[in-house]
Amino acid sequence: GAVVSQHPSWVICKSGTSVKIECRSLDFQATTMFWYRQFPKQSLMLMATSNEGSKATYEQGVEKDKFLINHASLTLSTLTVTSAHPEDSSFYICSANLAGVSYNEQFFGPGTRLTVL
Amino acid sequence: AQTVTQSQPEMSVQEAETVTLSCTYDTSESDYYLFWYKQPPSRQMILVIRQEAYKQQNATENRFSVNFQKAAKSFSLKISDSQLGDAAMYFCAYRSVWGNKLVFGAGTILRVKS
């Protein structure tokens, strides 16, 4: 099956620093990738939709200058949390669309746990 | 905008028994997809089952089956012969045929007792 990886799986950083999270589709090309944020025991909240070669589309209430998304190739999207603060601590999940099938299934990465001290 | 509601925050089931998780949704569209995802403690999202709205037949995947009631906008998940490995958070999700975004419900934590 289609595999999506995320790196790192967990990261701890100091307040005020920036952190980059990578999302890769390992065995397929993904024209569209998604970034979610999840708090403990809560649902996934879509942050943005990332299309290869174009600017990401952010959901209402998500600061685009805070959460920079780059989708430079058909297999890689990155999320950079700029000037991170403790309230940015969360679990970040990416997913990628497997195009070419009727239902365009989304495949999810294993997630990245971000802790900002 | 579409919404998905899971009214059961937590459910428990005895091992080998059957449990049903509820999901309702709201949409004005006639064609769409519905999904159930499982998120175990590892937090890796796993697709459990998928239903196309144009299909009247309920989807089944081994011990997992759905009861899709389009008119009632209901999409419940039945897990038969529950196993300890079924313990997880389960999310119901909606996707329009015209878009790529998934709309998730709040989730139901399923506990399996041995």
mmCIF file of all heavy atoms in Angstrom, chain B residues 62-103:
data_model
loop_
_atom_site.group_PDB
_atom_site.id
_atom_site.type_symbol
_atom_site.label_atom_id
_atom_site.label_comp_id
_atom_site.label_asym_id
_atom_site.label_seq_id
_atom_site.Cartn_x
_atom_site.Cartn_y
_atom_site.Cartn_z
ATOM 1 N N ASN B 62 -14.224 -7.698 6.434
ATOM 2 C CA ASN B 62 -13.996 -8.699 7.469
ATOM 3 C C ASN B 62 -14.948 -8.488 8.643
ATOM 4 O O ASN B 62 -16.162 -8.591 8.478
ATOM 5 C CB ASN B 62 -12.531 -8.673 7.902
ATOM 6 C CG ASN B 62 -11.593 -8.954 6.735
ATOM 7 O OD1 ASN B 62 -11.806 -9.890 5.974
ATOM 8 N ND2 ASN B 62 -10.571 -8.122 6.578
ATOM 9 N N ARG B 63 -14.426 -8.171 9.823
ATOM 10 C CA ARG B 63 -15.279 -8.012 11.011
ATOM 11 C C ARG B 63 -15.951 -6.650 11.087
ATOM 12 O O ARG B 63 -16.736 -6.394 12.014
ATOM 13 C CB ARG B 63 -14.433 -8.242 12.268
ATOM 14 C CG ARG B 63 -13.820 -9.623 12.392
ATOM 15 C CD ARG B 63 -13.051 -9.773 13.701
ATOM 16 N NE ARG B 63 -11.881 -8.894 13.757
ATOM 17 C CZ ARG B 63 -11.793 -7.823 14.526
ATOM 18 N NH1 ARG B 63 -12.799 -7.466 15.298
ATOM 19 N NH2 ARG B 63 -10.685 -7.096 14.530
ATOM 20 N N PHE B 64 -15.642 -5.785 10.158
ATOM 21 C CA PHE B 64 -16.168 -4.424 10.170
ATOM 22 C C PHE B 64 -17.237 -4.264 9.088
ATOM 23 O O PHE B 64 -17.026 -4.653 7.942
ATOM 24 C CB PHE B 64 -15.042 -3.413 9.931
ATOM 25 C CG PHE B 64 -13.957 -3.456 10.969
ATOM 26 C CD1 PHE B 64 -12.884 -4.321 10.828
ATOM 27 C CD2 PHE B 64 -14.015 -2.637 12.080
ATOM 28 C CE1 PHE B 64 -11.884 -4.366 11.793
ATOM 29 C CE2 PHE B 64 -13.013 -2.678 13.047
ATOM 30 C CZ PHE B 64 -11.947 -3.548 12.899
ATOM 31 N N SER B 65 -18.347 -3.698 9.470
ATOM 32 C CA SER B 65 -19.401 -3.425 8.500
ATOM 33 C C SER B 65 -20.069 -2.105 8.876
ATOM 34 O O SER B 65 -19.964 -1.643 10.012
ATOM 35 C CB SER B 65 -20.422 -4.555 8.468
ATOM 36 O OG SER B 65 -21.045 -4.694 9.731
ATOM 37 N N VAL B 66 -20.732 -1.525 7.902
ATOM 38 C CA VAL B 66 -21.415 -0.261 8.169
ATOM 39 C C VAL B 66 -22.903 -0.424 7.905
ATOM 40 O O VAL B 66 -23.339 -1.293 7.161
ATOM 41 C CB VAL B 66 -20.857 0.890 7.302
ATOM 42 C CG1 VAL B 66 -19.387 1.129 7.625
ATOM 43 C CG2 VAL B 66 -21.068 0.647 5.812
ATOM 44 N N ASN B 67 -23.659 0.438 8.554
ATOM 45 C CA ASN B 67 -25.090 0.579 8.282
ATOM 46 C C ASN B 67 -25.261 2.000 7.749
ATOM 47 O O ASN B 67 -25.257 2.963 8.511
ATOM 48 C CB ASN B 67 -25.907 0.362 9.549
ATOM 49 C CG ASN B 67 -27.403 0.429 9.257
ATOM 50 O OD1 ASN B 67 -27.838 0.596 8.104
ATOM 51 N ND2 ASN B 67 -28.210 0.286 10.289
ATOM 52 N N PHE B 68 -25.377 2.098 6.438
ATOM 53 C CA PHE B 68 -25.474 3.387 5.766
ATOM 54 C C PHE B 68 -26.930 3.685 5.464
ATOM 55 O O PHE B 68 -27.572 2.966 4.687
ATOM 56 C CB PHE B 68 -24.637 3.358 4.485
ATOM 57 C CG PHE B 68 -24.775 4.576 3.616
ATOM 58 C CD1 PHE B 68 -24.677 5.851 4.150
ATOM 59 C CD2 PHE B 68 -24.999 4.441 2.252
ATOM 60 C CE1 PHE B 68 -24.796 6.970 3.340
ATOM 61 C CE2 PHE B 68 -25.121 5.555 1.434
ATOM 62 C CZ PHE B 68 -25.027 6.821 1.979
ATOM 63 N N GLN B 69 -27.442 4.711 6.089
ATOM 64 C CA GLN B 69 -28.821 5.135 5.884
ATOM 65 C C GLN B 69 -28.768 6.544 5.279
ATOM 66 O O GLN B 69 -28.669 7.541 6.001
ATOM 67 C CB GLN B 69 -29.576 5.147 7.213
ATOM 68 C CG GLN B 69 -29.627 3.810 7.920
ATOM 69 C CD GLN B 69 -30.531 2.833 7.199
ATOM 70 O OE1 GLN B 69 -31.525 3.206 6.569
ATOM 71 N NE2 GLN B 69 -30.169 1.557 7.295
ATOM 72 N N LYS B 70 -28.838 6.597 3.948
ATOM 73 C CA LYS B 70 -28.623 7.879 3.271
ATOM 74 C C LYS B 70 -29.691 8.904 3.611
ATOM 75 O O LYS B 70 -29.406 10.071 3.843
ATOM 76 C CB LYS B 70 -28.557 7.674 1.749
ATOM 77 C CG LYS B 70 -28.085 8.899 0.996
ATOM 78 C CD LYS B 70 -27.855 8.600 -0.479
ATOM 79 C CE LYS B 70 -27.289 9.821 -1.189
ATOM 80 N NZ LYS B 70 -27.019 9.536 -2.635
ATOM 81 N N ALA B 71 -30.927 8.480 3.636
ATOM 82 C CA ALA B 71 -32.008 9.428 3.921
ATOM 83 C C ALA B 71 -31.882 9.995 5.328
ATOM 84 O O ALA B 71 -32.146 11.180 5.567
ATOM 85 C CB ALA B 71 -33.358 8.755 3.738
ATOM 86 N N ALA B 72 -31.470 9.174 6.245
ATOM 87 C CA ALA B 72 -31.313 9.608 7.627
ATOM 88 C C ALA B 72 -29.954 10.244 7.862
ATOM 89 O O ALA B 72 -29.696 10.767 8.955
ATOM 90 C CB ALA B 72 -31.502 8.428 8.564
ATOM 91 N N LYS B 73 -29.081 10.200 6.884
ATOM 92 C CA LYS B 73 -27.721 10.713 6.995
ATOM 93 C C LYS B 73 -27.010 10.105 8.206
ATOM 94 O O LYS B 73 -26.464 10.801 9.069
ATOM 95 C CB LYS B 73 -27.724 12.241 7.048
ATOM 96 C CG LYS B 73 -28.243 12.851 5.751
ATOM 97 C CD LYS B 73 -28.268 14.368 5.779
ATOM 98 C CE LYS B 73 -28.849 14.873 4.466
ATOM 99 N NZ LYS B 73 -29.023 16.335 4.448
ATOM 100 N N SER B 74 -27.061 8.798 8.207
ATOM 101 C CA SER B 74 -26.466 8.043 9.299
ATOM 102 C C SER B 74 -25.484 7.023 8.742
ATOM 103 O O SER B 74 -25.743 6.405 7.686
ATOM 104 C CB SER B 74 -27.581 7.335 10.079
ATOM 105 O OG SER B 74 -27.053 6.428 11.011
ATOM 106 N N PHE B 75 -24.393 6.827 9.446
ATOM 107 C CA PHE B 75 -23.332 5.942 8.951
ATOM 108 C C PHE B 75 -22.662 5.292 10.154
ATOM 109 O O PHE B 75 -21.641 5.745 10.646
ATOM 110 C CB PHE B 75 -22.333 6.785 8.146
ATOM 111 C CG PHE B 75 -21.208 6.013 7.511
ATOM 112 C CD1 PHE B 75 -21.445 5.025 6.581
ATOM 113 C CD2 PHE B 75 -19.891 6.297 7.835
ATOM 114 C CE1 PHE B 75 -20.410 4.316 5.975
ATOM 115 C CE2 PHE B 75 -18.838 5.603 7.252
ATOM 116 C CZ PHE B 75 -19.102 4.617 6.326
ATOM 117 N N SER B 76 -23.217 4.209 10.644
ATOM 118 C CA SER B 76 -22.689 3.572 11.843
ATOM 119 C C SER B 76 -21.730 2.447 11.478
ATOM 120 O O SER B 76 -21.844 1.828 10.415
ATOM 121 C CB SER B 76 -23.822 3.057 12.725
ATOM 122 O OG SER B 76 -24.573 2.083 12.027
ATOM 123 N N LEU B 77 -20.814 2.176 12.379
ATOM 124 C CA LEU B 77 -19.811 1.135 12.196
ATOM 125 C C LEU B 77 -20.061 0.020 13.185
ATOM 126 O O LEU B 77 -20.164 0.263 14.392
ATOM 127 C CB LEU B 77 -18.405 1.699 12.417
ATOM 128 C CG LEU B 77 -17.257 0.686 12.404
ATOM 129 C CD1 LEU B 77 -17.037 0.136 10.981
ATOM 130 C CD2 LEU B 77 -15.966 1.310 12.934
ATOM 131 N N LYS B 78 -20.170 -1.205 12.684
ATOM 132 C CA LYS B 78 -20.343 -2.366 13.537
ATOM 133 C C LYS B 78 -19.054 -3.174 13.527
ATOM 134 O O LYS B 78 -18.544 -3.524 12.455
ATOM 135 C CB LYS B 78 -21.517 -3.233 13.086
ATOM 136 C CG LYS B 78 -21.798 -4.379 14.038
ATOM 137 C CD LYS B 78 -23.088 -5.108 13.701
ATOM 138 C CE LYS B 78 -22.895 -6.128 12.616
ATOM 139 N NZ LYS B 78 -24.086 -6.989 12.428
ATOM 140 N N ILE B 79 -18.570 -3.451 14.721
ATOM 141 C CA ILE B 79 -17.383 -4.290 14.864
ATOM 142 C C ILE B 79 -17.825 -5.588 15.518
ATOM 143 O O ILE B 79 -18.335 -5.595 16.648
ATOM 144 C CB ILE B 79 -16.296 -3.610 15.724
ATOM 145 C CG1 ILE B 79 -15.960 -2.229 15.161
ATOM 146 C CG2 ILE B 79 -15.041 -4.470 15.786
ATOM 147 C CD1 ILE B 79 -14.995 -1.416 16.033
ATOM 148 N N SER B 80 -17.665 -6.673 14.805
ATOM 149 C CA SER B 80 -18.055 -7.983 15.306
ATOM 150 C C SER B 80 -16.843 -8.699 15.893
ATOM 151 O O SER B 80 -15.704 -8.439 15.496
ATOM 152 C CB SER B 80 -18.645 -8.828 14.177
ATOM 153 O OG SER B 80 -19.720 -8.176 13.566
ATOM 154 N N ASP B 81 -17.113 -9.599 16.850
ATOM 155 C CA ASP B 81 -16.031 -10.391 17.438
ATOM 156 C C ASP B 81 -14.872 -9.476 17.853
ATOM 157 O O ASP B 81 -13.730 -9.638 17.420
ATOM 158 C CB ASP B 81 -15.554 -11.445 16.429
ATOM 159 C CG ASP B 81 -14.531 -12.395 17.010
ATOM 160 O OD1 ASP B 81 -14.504 -12.581 18.238
ATOM 161 O OD2 ASP B 81 -13.732 -12.939 16.224
ATOM 162 N N SER B 82 -15.180 -8.510 18.682
ATOM 163 C CA SER B 82 -14.191 -7.502 19.052
ATOM 164 C C SER B 82 -12.925 -8.130 19.633
ATOM 165 O O SER B 82 -12.978 -9.110 20.387
ATOM 166 C CB SER B 82 -14.792 -6.541 20.083
ATOM 167 O OG SER B 82 -15.874 -5.839 19.526
ATOM 168 N N GLN B 83 -11.803 -7.535 19.240
ATOM 169 C CA GLN B 83 -10.511 -8.005 19.709
ATOM 170 C C GLN B 83 -9.797 -6.886 20.458
ATOM 171 O O GLN B 83 -10.098 -5.710 20.266
ATOM 172 C CB GLN B 83 -9.680 -8.468 18.511
ATOM 173 C CG GLN B 83 -10.338 -9.588 17.711
ATOM 174 C CD GLN B 83 -9.566 -9.947 16.462
ATOM 175 O OE1 GLN B 83 -8.532 -9.372 16.152
ATOM 176 N NE2 GLN B 83 -10.086 -10.929 15.721
ATOM 177 N N LEU B 84 -8.835 -7.284 21.289
ATOM 178 C CA LEU B 84 -8.107 -6.285 22.077
ATOM 179 C C LEU B 84 -7.443 -5.249 21.167
ATOM 180 O O LEU B 84 -7.329 -4.073 21.524
ATOM 181 C CB LEU B 84 -7.063 -6.971 22.964
ATOM 182 C CG LEU B 84 -7.622 -7.871 24.072
ATOM 183 C CD1 LEU B 84 -6.499 -8.555 24.819
ATOM 184 C CD2 LEU B 84 -8.499 -7.074 25.037
ATOM 185 N N GLY B 85 -7.036 -5.686 19.996
ATOM 186 C CA GLY B 85 -6.389 -4.785 19.049
ATOM 187 C C GLY B 85 -7.324 -3.773 18.417
ATOM 188 O O GLY B 85 -6.864 -2.857 17.722
ATOM 189 N N ASP B 86 -8.610 -3.939 18.659
ATOM 190 C CA ASP B 86 -9.565 -2.960 18.125
ATOM 191 C C ASP B 86 -9.641 -1.714 18.997
ATOM 192 O O ASP B 86 -10.241 -0.717 18.596
ATOM 193 C CB ASP B 86 -10.969 -3.584 18.032
ATOM 194 C CG ASP B 86 -11.034 -4.718 17.026
ATOM 195 O OD1 ASP B 86 -10.232 -4.723 16.067
ATOM 196 O OD2 ASP B 86 -11.881 -5.616 17.206
ATOM 197 N N ALA B 87 -9.068 -1.776 20.174
ATOM 198 C CA ALA B 87 -9.088 -0.619 21.073
ATOM 199 C C ALA B 87 -8.359 0.537 20.413
ATOM 200 O O ALA B 87 -7.190 0.427 20.020
ATOM 201 C CB ALA B 87 -8.443 -0.964 22.394
ATOM 202 N N ALA B 88 -9.065 1.636 20.264
ATOM 203 C CA ALA B 88 -8.517 2.789 19.541
ATOM 204 C C ALA B 88 -9.543 3.909 19.581
ATOM 205 O O ALA B 88 -10.639 3.757 20.110
ATOM 206 C CB ALA B 88 -8.221 2.428 18.087
ATOM 207 N N MET B 89 -9.147 5.028 18.984
ATOM 208 C CA MET B 89 -10.105 6.097 18.742
ATOM 209 C C MET B 89 -10.582 5.931 17.297
ATOM 210 O O MET B 89 -9.764 5.718 16.394
ATOM 211 C CB MET B 89 -9.459 7.462 18.936
ATOM 212 C CG MET B 89 -10.438 8.613 18.974
ATOM 213 S SD MET B 89 -9.807 9.921 20.035
ATOM 214 C CE MET B 89 -11.145 11.072 20.040
ATOM 215 N N TYR B 90 -11.884 6.013 17.107
ATOM 216 C CA TYR B 90 -12.450 5.842 15.779
ATOM 217 C C TYR B 90 -13.068 7.158 15.315
ATOM 218 O O TYR B 90 -13.835 7.791 16.036
ATOM 219 C CB TYR B 90 -13.516 4.742 15.784
ATOM 220 C CG TYR B 90 -12.914 3.359 15.880
ATOM 221 C CD1 TYR B 90 -12.512 2.854 17.112
ATOM 222 C CD2 TYR B 90 -12.731 2.578 14.743
ATOM 223 C CE1 TYR B 90 -11.944 1.588 17.205
ATOM 224 C CE2 TYR B 90 -12.166 1.316 14.827
ATOM 225 C CZ TYR B 90 -11.773 0.829 16.060
ATOM 226 O OH TYR B 90 -11.198 -0.423 16.153
ATOM 227 N N PHE B 91 -12.720 7.518 14.101
ATOM 228 C CA PHE B 91 -13.241 8.750 13.519
ATOM 229 C C PHE B 91 -14.080 8.436 12.297
ATOM 230 O O PHE B 91 -13.677 7.679 11.422
ATOM 231 C CB PHE B 91 -12.095 9.674 13.086
ATOM 232 C CG PHE B 91 -11.272 10.209 14.219
ATOM 233 C CD1 PHE B 91 -10.044 9.643 14.532
ATOM 234 C CD2 PHE B 91 -11.718 11.293 14.965
ATOM 235 C CE1 PHE B 91 -9.281 10.138 15.570
ATOM 236 C CE2 PHE B 91 -10.959 11.798 16.008
ATOM 237 C CZ PHE B 91 -9.737 11.215 16.311
ATOM 238 N N CYS B 92 -15.221 9.060 12.242
ATOM 239 C CA CYS B 92 -16.063 9.038 11.058
ATOM 240 C C CYS B 92 -15.679 10.261 10.228
ATOM 241 O O CYS B 92 -15.411 11.341 10.781
ATOM 242 C CB CYS B 92 -17.527 9.116 11.498
ATOM 243 S SG CYS B 92 -18.735 9.158 10.171
ATOM 244 N N ALA B 93 -15.650 10.116 8.913
ATOM 245 C CA ALA B 93 -15.237 11.239 8.074
ATOM 246 C C ALA B 93 -16.059 11.286 6.791
ATOM 247 O O ALA B 93 -16.502 10.254 6.280
ATOM 248 C CB ALA B 93 -13.751 11.141 7.739
ATOM 249 N N TYR B 94 -16.224 12.492 6.290
ATOM 250 C CA TYR B 94 -16.999 12.765 5.080
ATOM 251 C C TYR B 94 -16.090 13.428 4.063
ATOM 252 O O TYR B 94 -15.237 14.246 4.407
ATOM 253 C CB TYR B 94 -18.147 13.716 5.435
ATOM 254 C CG TYR B 94 -18.918 14.276 4.269
ATOM 255 C CD1 TYR B 94 -20.164 13.747 3.929
ATOM 256 C CD2 TYR B 94 -18.427 15.334 3.494
ATOM 257 C CE1 TYR B 94 -20.889 14.255 2.864
ATOM 258 C CE2 TYR B 94 -19.147 15.845 2.432
ATOM 259 C CZ TYR B 94 -20.365 15.304 2.119
ATOM 260 O OH TYR B 94 -21.071 15.797 1.059
ATOM 261 N N ARG B 95 -16.314 13.071 2.776
ATOM 262 C CA ARG B 95 -15.594 13.761 1.714
ATOM 263 C C ARG B 95 -16.503 13.930 0.519
ATOM 264 O O ARG B 95 -17.137 12.973 0.078
ATOM 265 C CB ARG B 95 -14.347 12.993 1.299
ATOM 266 C CG ARG B 95 -13.205 13.904 0.856
ATOM 267 C CD ARG B 95 -12.240 13.199 -0.051
ATOM 268 N NE ARG B 95 -12.715 13.239 -1.419
ATOM 269 C CZ ARG B 95 -12.471 12.292 -2.316
ATOM 270 N NH1 ARG B 95 -11.773 11.240 -1.991
ATOM 271 N NH2 ARG B 95 -12.917 12.424 -3.538
ATOM 272 N N SER B 96 -16.550 15.135 0.026
ATOM 273 C CA SER B 96 -17.328 15.401 -1.179
ATOM 274 C C SER B 96 -16.634 14.763 -2.382
ATOM 275 O O SER B 96 -15.403 14.621 -2.395
ATOM 276 C CB SER B 96 -17.440 16.918 -1.388
ATOM 277 O OG SER B 96 -17.948 17.208 -2.665
ATOM 278 N N VAL B 97 -17.403 14.411 -3.385
ATOM 279 C CA VAL B 97 -16.776 13.874 -4.606
ATOM 280 C C VAL B 97 -16.085 14.983 -5.382
ATOM 281 O O VAL B 97 -15.260 14.724 -6.253
ATOM 282 C CB VAL B 97 -17.808 13.181 -5.520
ATOM 283 C CG1 VAL B 97 -18.392 11.967 -4.838
ATOM 284 C CG2 VAL B 97 -18.888 14.139 -5.956
ATOM 285 N N TRP B 98 -16.431 16.244 -5.033
ATOM 286 C CA TRP B 98 -15.874 17.367 -5.770
ATOM 287 C C TRP B 98 -14.651 17.969 -5.102
ATOM 288 O O TRP B 98 -14.076 18.924 -5.598
ATOM 289 C CB TRP B 98 -16.940 18.462 -5.927
ATOM 290 C CG TRP B 98 -18.177 17.942 -6.553
ATOM 291 C CD1 TRP B 98 -19.394 17.791 -5.982
ATOM 292 C CD2 TRP B 98 -18.315 17.459 -7.907
ATOM 293 N NE1 TRP B 98 -20.273 17.254 -6.881
ATOM 294 C CE2 TRP B 98 -19.651 17.043 -8.057
ATOM 295 C CE3 TRP B 98 -17.430 17.349 -8.993
ATOM 296 C CZ2 TRP B 98 -20.124 16.522 -9.258
ATOM 297 C CZ3 TRP B 98 -17.898 16.840 -10.177
ATOM 298 C CH2 TRP B 98 -19.236 16.425 -10.295
ATOM 299 N N GLY B 99 -14.275 17.448 -3.970
ATOM 300 C CA GLY B 99 -13.130 18.013 -3.271
ATOM 301 C C GLY B 99 -12.275 16.930 -2.657
ATOM 302 O O GLY B 99 -12.586 15.742 -2.742
ATOM 303 N N ASN B 100 -11.178 17.358 -2.042
ATOM 304 C CA ASN B 100 -10.245 16.417 -1.435
ATOM 305 C C ASN B 100 -10.272 16.429 0.081
ATOM 306 O O ASN B 100 -9.715 15.549 0.721
ATOM 307 C CB ASN B 100 -8.816 16.746 -1.888
ATOM 308 C CG ASN B 100 -8.594 16.389 -3.336
ATOM 309 O OD1 ASN B 100 -9.149 15.419 -3.830
ATOM 310 N ND2 ASN B 100 -7.805 17.177 -4.035
ATOM 311 N N LYS B 101 -10.921 17.425 0.660
ATOM 312 C CA LYS B 101 -10.850 17.575 2.110
ATOM 313 C C LYS B 101 -11.706 16.546 2.823
ATOM 314 O O LYS B 101 -12.832 16.253 2.415
ATOM 315 C CB LYS B 101 -11.343 18.967 2.518
ATOM 316 C CG LYS B 101 -10.473 20.110 2.099
ATOM 317 C CD LYS B 101 -11.063 21.406 2.643
ATOM 318 C CE LYS B 101 -10.313 22.600 2.129
ATOM 319 N NZ LYS B 101 -10.903 23.856 2.658
ATOM 320 N N LEU B 102 -11.176 16.053 3.913
ATOM 321 C CA LEU B 102 -11.942 15.184 4.794
ATOM 322 C C LEU B 102 -12.505 16.020 5.944
ATOM 323 O O LEU B 102 -11.795 16.840 6.527
ATOM 324 C CB LEU B 102 -11.048 14.092 5.368
ATOM 325 C CG LEU B 102 -10.646 12.957 4.431
ATOM 326 C CD1 LEU B 102 -9.569 12.102 5.073
ATOM 327 C CD2 LEU B 102 -11.850 12.112 4.067
ATOM 328 N N VAL B 103 -13.763 15.796 6.254
ATOM 329 C CA VAL B 103 -14.377 16.422 7.419
ATOM 330 C C VAL B 103 -14.538 15.337 8.470
ATOM 331 O O VAL B 103 -15.248 14.343 8.241
ATOM 332 C CB VAL B 103 -15.741 17.047 7.069
ATOM 333 C CG1 VAL B 103 -16.382 17.654 8.318
ATOM 334 C CG2 VAL B 103 -15.583 18.092 5.975
#
